[in-house]
Amino acid sequence: METLNNINKERLFHTLSKSSEIGAIPGKGLKRLALSDEDKEMRDIFKGWCQEAGLTLRVDDFGNMYGRREGKKALPPVVLGSHLDTQPEGGRFDGILGVLLALEVVNTLNDHNMETDRPVEIVNFTNEEGARFEPPMLGSGGVAGVFDQEYVYSRKDREGHSFLEEMQRIGYKGEEENRLGDFHSFLELHIEQGPVLEEENKQIGIVEGIQGISWMGVTITGEADHAGPTPMHLRKDALMAAAEIMHNMEKKIANTEVTVTVGKISASPDTVNCVPGEVYFTVDIRSTDDQLREGAVEQARALISEVCHERQVDVETAELWETEKIDFGKGIIDAIEKSVETLGYSSRRMVSGAGHDAKYINNIGPTAMIFLPSVNGKSHVPSELTLDEDIISGANVLYQTVLALAEE
Amino acid sequence: METLNNINKERLFHTLSKSSEIGAIPGKGLKRLALSDEDKEMRDIFKGWCQEAGLTLRVDDFGNMYGRREGKKALPPVVLGSHLDTQPEGGRFDGILGVLLALEVVNTLNDHNMETDRPVEIVNFTNEEGARFEPPMLGSGGVAGVFDQEYVYSRKDREGHSFLEEMQRIGYKGEEENRLGDFHSFLELHIEQGPVLEEENKQIGIVEGIQGISWMGVTITGEADHAGPTPMHLRKDALMAAAEIMHNMEKKIANTEVTVTVGKISASPDTVNCVPGEVYFTVDIRSTDDQLREGAVEQARALISEVCHERQVDVETAELWETEKIDFGKGIIDAIEKSVETLGYSSRRMVSGAGHDAKYINNIGPTAMIFLPSVNGKSHVPSELTLDEDIISGANVLYQTVLALAEE
């Protein structure tokens, strides 16, 4: 390993600052939903950067973009990247750092005329957030065989536009033959999105795996009534049923090892003086222990049934998404740790609470992640922040780890 | 009183059936929001019917429409009517019956060449529902002096269109001098919107007054966080705070004399994997006893403060609307009761749980209401239904009562 700390900070912060303009919203946030006009604009810029770096660009049938730098040998590549899309009121860092720092790594290889044994590929996966098209990680899930093409293509946003239509509209429908092929290792750098690294004053998180996640959609159908003349005991109020369920999920099911989140809710007819006849809400349950998570899902189902039965309202629960806890590749975790030690950064091993593209890519080859601290643990908000010095540390760790893996 | 049961059923059901086409939605419902294109279409048809009936039409500065039939003497008129607008997923009857049965009354007077001592005016009030422009009853509240013109004109719908703009756009901005003048009595026929008449098998409700109503808007501001990496104890989840409040309002504040309804709710950022940082919901509290209602509002405020303080989230409550319990005019109530007895219908006296135009008109002259049964107590839903036989009974009671009042 002949170079340390050789990334070009000026170039790195230029790309990050340019990205922060595309889809900017008040409070320094971004709204860059997957396959939107803003996503297209960012993709076009990223494509230009890849071309300037001399990478061979290809786009697959899920809109995933790959930039390849050849190696000395015809070996499977080292792959690194993440996603450039954001939540509707998201931040500037999230998965974006993972893509732009990957770009910085190949630019640094170029700066030093480094020839690696293995090719290096950088990647931008489509619709990681799941904010526009549910479920999340459709691009990485597609190439990993978790979702088939028809399923991914038919996902619809709230306005009824499909993934396929929107991918074609912005001109990023590529070929199936361009999908991620055999690879030596996949590395995803990402912000932590939680408070742990900051609290413990660590520069780098070495991520050993990802929590299991279960998503449910719950539709309660009671009876819409005028708020005035309908006595309480004759009501079938869908929202009061939902309130009882939400409150008891928080009190009785969530704990230090299991999180429960109701992120979306809507009531119909949604006027001040009508008892809501229908309510829809989502439930997100996570744990690093699959048995605890599955137990919590069972408890939630039982609670929902019990409350709705007692109140004589109808209920339907749909399983929207489920992934088990996963363990990353030991060899890559060790390689990250070795780079961190070489560079003299503080670090800790940890399990991610959030889903990431690395989760699905881990299904098809050795994978691990690098986390950078999130100020106040915040993410998916405009105030999301990772400090410049931590970004530089992350870029160096990524560069050193790629150098090591590319010679294996 | 020389005629009984003389209304023309065929004509009456023709007007009702025509009205049921304007803004029709699936399930036999109507979406005819105040000052919308559908409202304009219905107003144009109603105007034509008034002209066919030989009425002198005028429109005031709130878009309220009046059709006048002169009397033998220059005395203050007997006025009857209600509103032609509906909820977004409303029914075909609601206030519509009150306007169309008023039209049928003047047509029946014409059929029999009846000359009344007093003039008879029929009226369609603007934006009774409050579904498009809040608060409700803007047209009747305007003429009654409850709201001033500037306030009414500046009310905005969810898209930001103002009452004034929309009234001008559909061509129904009239003159201030056309407002309802001195009147002898105001009669509003309406569906009950509750289960009482049907349960007790009564044909006619003689309405002595209206419950007091308080509306609040509650905005809870916590912190938006990623659902995965944020432990439960570090969250400031605005929706879980709202759920605790809603559930406890139902358990501890609502009772047989006080209703509590949360009709509207929204969460932000509203994605499956984000802890909601902000929630808005409305609270509607009603009682026939003003002291109980005011006590319940105080309890609700205290509960909201307590829960939000404990959870360290910010909260703002806004008083959106409040009206005290009101008592209708004894003379008109007695006149309705006498007509019901003459016609041999079953009836009961009752207090309305819902607000109506009659509530505000009662401020400026003697007023009362006639209720007709609602099948299953339903209203503000497409399945809202009042049976043909009950509509005919209602028309006859209205006709007999107008005949009596117009000779006083």
Side-chain angles (χ1 to χ4, degrees):
Chain A
M1 221 167 288
E2 54 178 327
T3 54
L4 289 178
N5 303 318
N6 277 338
I7 63 131
N8 181 331
K9 297 173 203 176
E10 199 183 320
R11 178 177 54 210
L12 169 57
F13 289 111
H14 167 75
T15 60
L16 190 56
S17 137
K18 185 72 200 164
S19 159
S20 302
E21 293 169 9
I22 315 303
I25 57 172
K28 299 198 169 178
L30 291 183
K31 179 181 182 176
R32 201 157 72 201
L33 296 174
L35 308 180
S36 64
D37 291 347
E38 293 78 20
D39 189 17
K40 175 192 164 33
E41 191 179 350
M42 186 66 232
R43 284 167 176 262
D44 290 347
I45 292 168
F46 177 63
K47 187 169 154 183
W49 286 336
C50 288
Q51 285 162 346
E52 284 170 27
L55 304 180
T56 310
L57 198 92
R58 67 181 200 273
V59 179
D60 73 16
D61 55 327
F62 300 113
N64 300 317
M65 300 170 72
Y66 308 88
R68 182 179 170 102
R69 184 176 190 273
E70 290 302 339
K72 284 184 280 188
K73 300 179 185 167
L75 291 167
V78 173
V79 184
L80 59 162
S82 187
H83 62 94
L84 293 168
D85 68 324
T86 77
Q87 290 282 324
E89 295 176 54
R92 294 161 288 156
F93 304 97
D94 201 288
I96 296 165
L97 279 185
V99 180
L100 300 185
L101 269 57
L103 177 71
E104 180 55 31
V105 164
V106 293
N107 276 321
T108 304
L109 290 173
N110 290 343
D111 291 346
H112 300 282
N113 297 310
M114 296 286 285
E115 285 189 88
T116 53
D117 282 349
R118 294 181 179 277
V120 174
E121 282 190 9
I122 71 174
V123 57
N124 167 37
F125 289 115
T126 303
N127 193 65
E128 193 273 346
E129 292 292 357
R132 183 171 185 198
F133 300 99
E134 291 177 8
M137 289 128 67
L138 283 174
S140 50
V143 297
V146 176
F147 308 124
D148 64 26
Q149 195 193 60
E150 194 188 332
Y151 177 81
V152 174
Y153 281 8
S154 62
R155 297 303 89 200
K156 287 196 165 66
D157 69 8
R158 293 180 197 197
E159 279 76 46
H161 302 298
S162 75
F163 184 102
L164 175 61
E165 283 161 24
E166 286 295 285
M167 180 169 61
Q168 286 172 328
R169 186 184 68 80
I170 68 163
Y172 276 89
K173 181 181 180 296
E175 303 306 320
E176 188 170 336
E177 68 206 36
N178 288 341
R179 290 185 191 179
L180 181 63
D182 283 345
F183 60 89
H184 170 265
S185 44
F186 176 69
L187 259 177
E188 180 173 7
L189 177 143
H190 203 279
I191 60 169
E192 180 197 349
Q193 310 184 263
V196 177
L197 290 173
E198 186 183 57
E199 260 182 30
E200 300 188 2
N201 204 24
K202 304 289 190 196
Q203 292 167 286
I204 299 289
I206 301 164
V207 188
E208 299 178 299
I210 300 190
Q211 285 188 1
I213 307 178
S214 296
W215 281 7
M216 277 192 285
V218 182
T219 307
I220 300 178
T221 308
E223 284 184 19
D225 277 307
H226 191 293
T230 316
M232 296 305 288
H233 72 283
L234 291 180
R235 294 183 179 199
K236 294 185 175 176
D237 186 329
L239 184 55
M240 286 300 183
E244 183 174 354
I245 291 164
M246 291 189 279
H247 185 50
N248 281 300
M249 285 197 306
E250 186 195 35
K251 276 205 315 193
K252 298 177 183 170
I253 301 175
N255 56 49
T256 53
E257 290 176 282
V258 176
T259 60
V260 179
T261 308
V262 175
K264 289 175 80 163
I265 188 164
S266 59
S268 165
D270 202 34
T271 48
V272 188
N273 57 349
C274 265
V275 176
E278 188 167 303
V279 166
Y280 174 80
F281 63 94
T282 56
V283 184
D284 172 306
I285 296 180
R286 303 185 191 212
S287 178
T288 55
D289 180 322
D290 282 338
Q291 277 193 305
L292 287 179
R293 177 178 49 80
E294 283 159 20
V297 169
E298 276 316 297
Q299 276 181 281
R301 283 184 191 284
L303 172 68
I304 291 165
S305 295
E306 189 191 314
V307 169
C308 292
H309 180 258
E310 206 170 276
R311 289 172 175 265
Q312 292 178 280
V313 293
D314 292 329
V315 66
E316 279 187 35
T317 60
E319 187 182 289
L320 300 179
W321 189 50
E322 185 186 7
T323 54
E324 297 186 350
K325 193 239 172 180
I326 65 120
D327 297 305
F328 286 144
K330 197 182 167 310
I332 311 185
I333 296 170
D334 291 343
I336 297 168
E337 190 148 68
K338 201 168 162 205
S339 303
V340 169
E341 282 166 11
T342 306
L343 290 158
Y345 296 138
S346 59
S347 70
R348 65 162 280 165
R349 293 194 171 210
M350 59 199 307
V351 174
S352 170
H356 294 290
D357 292 311
K359 177 165 198 162
Y360 288 149
I361 301 306
N362 186 65
N363 289 356
I364 53 170
T367 294
M369 294 186 73
I370 297 164
F371 272 180
L372 301 184
S374 295
V375 172
N376 294 320
K378 295 290 160 210
S379 71
H380 290 183
V381 288
S383 61
E384 176 183 290
L385 180 63
T386 292
L387 300 175
D388 288 357
E389 64 217 56
D390 290 324
I391 293 172
I392 293 165
S393 308
N396 284 322
V397 172
L398 197 62
Y399 181 61
Q400 294 304 328
T401 310
V402 168
L403 278 184
L405 294 171
E407 304 310 310
E408 276 183 6
Chain B
M1 221 170 289
E2 55 178 324
T3 54
L4 289 179
N5 303 320
N6 275 338
I7 63 130
N8 181 329
K9 298 172 203 177
E10 199 182 321
R11 179 178 57 210
L12 169 57
F13 289 110
H14 167 74
T15 61
L16 190 55
S17 137
K18 185 71 200 163
S19 159
S20 302
E21 293 170 10
I22 315 304
I25 57 172
K28 298 198 169 179
L30 290 183
K31 179 180 180 177
R32 202 156 72 201
L33 296 173
L35 307 180
S36 65
D37 291 346
E38 293 77 19
D39 189 18
K40 176 193 164 30
E41 191 180 349
M42 186 67 234
R43 284 167 178 262
D44 290 347
I45 291 168
F46 177 63
K47 187 170 157 184
W49 285 336
C50 287
Q51 285 161 345
E52 284 170 28
L55 304 179
T56 309
L57 198 92
R58 68 180 200 274
V59 179
D60 72 17
D61 55 328
F62 300 113
N64 300 318
M65 301 169 72
Y66 308 87
R68 181 179 171 101
R69 185 179 190 269
E70 290 301 339
K72 282 182 284 186
K73 300 180 185 166
L75 291 168
V78 173
V79 183
L80 59 161
S82 186
H83 62 93
L84 292 168
D85 69 323
T86 76
Q87 290 282 323
E89 296 178 52
R92 294 162 288 157
F93 303 97
D94 201 288
I96 296 165
L97 279 185
V99 180
L100 299 186
L101 269 57
L103 177 71
E104 180 55 31
V105 164
V106 293
N107 274 320
T108 305
L109 290 172
N110 290 343
D111 292 345
H112 301 282
N113 297 310
M114 296 285 286
E115 285 191 88
T116 53
D117 282 350
R118 293 181 179 277
V120 174
E121 282 190 10
I122 71 175
V123 57
N124 167 38
F125 288 115
T126 302
N127 193 64
E128 192 274 345
E129 293 291 358
R132 182 169 185 199
F133 300 99
E134 292 177 8
M137 289 130 65
L138 283 174
S140 51
V143 298
V146 176
F147 309 123
D148 64 26
Q149 196 193 60
E150 195 187 331
Y151 177 82
V152 173
Y153 281 7
S154 62
R155 297 303 91 200
K156 287 198 165 64
D157 68 9
R158 292 180 197 198
E159 279 77 46
H161 302 299
S162 76
F163 183 101
L164 175 60
E165 283 161 23
E166 286 295 286
M167 178 168 65
Q168 286 172 326
R169 186 184 67 82
I170 68 162
Y172 275 89
K173 181 181 181 297
E175 302 305 321
E176 188 169 336
E177 68 206 36
N178 287 341
R179 291 185 190 179
L180 181 63
D182 282 346
F183 59 91
H184 170 264
S185 45
F186 175 68
L187 260 176
E188 180 174 6
L189 177 141
H190 203 279
I191 61 169
E192 180 197 348
Q193 309 184 263
V196 177
L197 290 173
E198 186 184 57
E199 260 182 30
E200 300 188 1
N201 204 24
K202 304 289 191 197
Q203 293 166 286
I204 300 287
I206 300 163
V207 186
E208 299 177 299
I210 300 188
Q211 287 188 0
I213 307 178
S214 296
W215 281 6
M216 276 192 287
V218 182
T219 306
I220 300 178
T221 307
E223 284 184 18
D225 277 307
H226 191 292
T230 316
M232 296 304 290
H233 72 282
L234 292 179
R235 295 183 178 199
K236 294 185 176 176
D237 185 330
L239 184 54
M240 286 300 182
E244 182 174 356
I245 291 164
M246 290 190 279
H247 185 49
N248 281 300
M249 285 197 304
E250 187 197 34
K251 275 205 314 194
K252 297 176 182 169
I253 301 175
N255 55 48
T256 53
E257 290 175 281
V258 176
T259 60
V260 179
T261 308
V262 176
K264 288 174 80 161
I265 189 165
S266 59
S268 164
D270 203 33
T271 48
V272 187
N273 56 348
C274 265
V275 177
E278 186 166 304
V279 167
Y280 175 80
F281 63 93
T282 56
V283 184
D284 171 307
I285 296 179
R286 302 184 192 213
S287 176
T288 56
D289 180 322
D290 282 337
Q291 277 194 302
L292 288 179
R293 175 178 52 79
E294 284 159 18
V297 170
E298 276 315 297
Q299 276 181 280
R301 283 184 190 283
L303 172 68
I304 290 165
S305 296
E306 190 190 314
V307 168
C308 292
H309 181 257
E310 206 170 277
R311 289 172 175 264
Q312 293 178 279
V313 293
D314 292 328
V315 65
E316 279 187 36
T317 59
E319 187 182 290
L320 301 180
W321 190 50
E322 184 185 8
T323 54
E324 297 187 349
K325 192 238 175 182
I326 65 119
D327 296 306
F328 286 144
K330 195 180 169 312
I332 312 184
I333 295 170
D334 291 345
I336 297 167
E337 189 149 67
K338 203 169 160 201
S339 301
V340 170
E341 282 167 9
T342 307
L343 290 159
Y345 296 138
S346 59
S347 71
R348 67 162 278 164
R349 291 193 172 211
M350 60 200 304
V351 173
S352 171
H356 295 287
D357 292 310
K359 177 166 197 162
Y360 288 148
I361 301 306
N362 186 65
N363 290 356
I364 54 171
T367 293
M369 293 187 74
I370 297 165
F371 271 179
L372 301 184
S374 295
V375 171
N376 294 320
K378 295 288 159 212
S379 70
H380 289 183
V381 287
S383 61
E384 176 183 287
L385 181 63
T386 292
L387 300 175
D388 287 358
E389 64 217 58
D390 289 324
I391 293 173
I392 293 165
S393 307
N396 284 322
V397 171
L398 197 62
Y399 182 60
Q400 294 304 329
T401 309
V402 168
L403 278 184
L405 294 170
E407 303 310 310
E408 276 184 7

